[in-house]
Amino acid sequence: LMTDGYELYSGIARDHQLVHLGCWAHARRALVKAEETVPKAARTPNLLATRFIHLIGRLFAAEARSAKWTADRRQRLRRRYSVRVLAIIKQMLIEHRPTVVPGSMLGKALQYLNGQWPKLSRYVENGNWPVSNNPCENEIRPFVVARKSFLFADTVAGAHASANLYSLVQTCKAGGIDPYRYLTWLFQRLPLAQTVDDYAALMPSNMPAGPR
């Protein structure tokens, strides 16, 4: 059953284009660590790490404001406001990265920011795309917290199978679908699937509505 679940996700991955997005929460975290290396008495609003953190905060403020908006309306805000903030961050990065010691905490944070920039700035292209993966991390936290109680995976295939099963369960929860009912429905139909379209039709969102 685990292997079949892996095949399901493999088939869907071959048939759908994947979009790689960066996580602004991770970028901010690295800058906060850099800021913390400076004694509190010496920290000012003009500190470079603090300036970057402030600008990233403006990106998150826009997302908080538009959290309950439609995707189209959120994207309009991103185009009108967030794109301009991103331009300021990018210009600061171009200007200051060469002047920062690469091995320092700030240097590493700026290297991460620079290397991830295409992925970090991509979210403004679609109102449905997240600014960070914090929601995803929150969803998988129960598995992380409880993993000491789990039997460890002793093969790569087993680890992949477990990860795919967790993904299916969390996808169900995000869509308000009972995971047990979905998995029962899935495993009854999975042996009959032969094509990529057959596998894609077995995603949680395609399960017929019924009692939950």
Side-chain angles (χ1 to χ4, degrees):
L1 296 181
M2 292 286 193
T3 303
D4 287 339
Y6 178 70
E7 290 173 356
L8 168 67
Y9 265 65
S10 297
I12 293 169
R14 286 194 300 268
D15 194 44
H16 292 75
Q17 183 187 23
L18 299 178
V19 178
H20 293 273
L21 302 173
C23 175
W24 275 105
H26 281 83
R28 182 184 182 279
R29 201 171 300 156
L31 288 161
V32 169
K33 289 182 179 179
E35 182 185 50
E36 290 173 346
T37 63
V38 178
K40 288 186 177 181
R43 297 178 196 173
T44 69
N46 288 325
L47 189 69
L48 186 57
T50 304
R51 290 168 61 191
F52 275 106
I53 293 169
H54 174 72
L55 287 167
I56 295 172
R58 290 169 62 180
L59 295 178
F60 278 99
E63 296 305 304
R65 179 183 177 187
S66 61
K68 296 184 179 180
W69 294 2
T70 64
D72 288 343
R73 187 183 178 194
R74 184 180 306 110
Q75 187 176 8
R76 288 196 295 271
L77 174 65
R78 289 174 173 180
R79 287 176 175 172
R80 185 177 68 251
Y81 178 78
S82 301
V83 166
R84 289 190 295 169
V85 177
L86 287 170
I88 296 172
I89 295 174
K90 180 63 174 179
Q91 183 56 43
M92 282 179 53
L93 183 61
I94 293 173
E95 180 181 350
H96 293 284
R97 191 170 70 93
T99 68
V100 177
V101 177
S104 65
M105 290 295 292
L106 181 57
K108 293 177 180 178
L110 296 188
Q111 287 178 30
Y112 176 86
L113 195 61
N114 185 66
Q116 291 288 310
W117 187 260
K119 298 176 183 178
L120 285 167
S121 58
R122 190 171 292 147
Y123 81 97
V124 295
E125 299 173 9
N126 188 311
N128 284 313
W129 293 348
V131 68
S132 79
N133 70 348
N134 275 348
C136 179
E137 290 186 349
N138 291 335
E139 288 296 324
I140 67 173
R141 184 164 287 115
F143 294 115
V144 176
V145 172
R147 66 185 170 189
K148 288 185 179 180
S149 301
F150 300 157
L151 290 176
F152 59 86
D154 57 3
T155 67
V156 174
H160 279 302
S162 296
N164 286 323
L165 183 60
Y166 298 159
S167 295
L168 285 171
V169 170
Q170 294 306 125
T171 299
C172 288
K173 291 172 66 176
I177 298 169
D178 177 15
Y180 180 81
R181 191 174 74 87
Y182 167 71
L183 291 175
T184 300
W185 176 84
L186 170 67
F187 293 138
Q188 288 173 347
R189 290 158 179 78
L190 199 55
L192 304 177
Q194 296 181 350
T195 68
V196 170
D197 288 339
D198 290 341
Y199 287 120
L202 296 177
M203 290 297 290
S205 59
N206 293 326
M207 184 178 67
R212 298 182 179 180

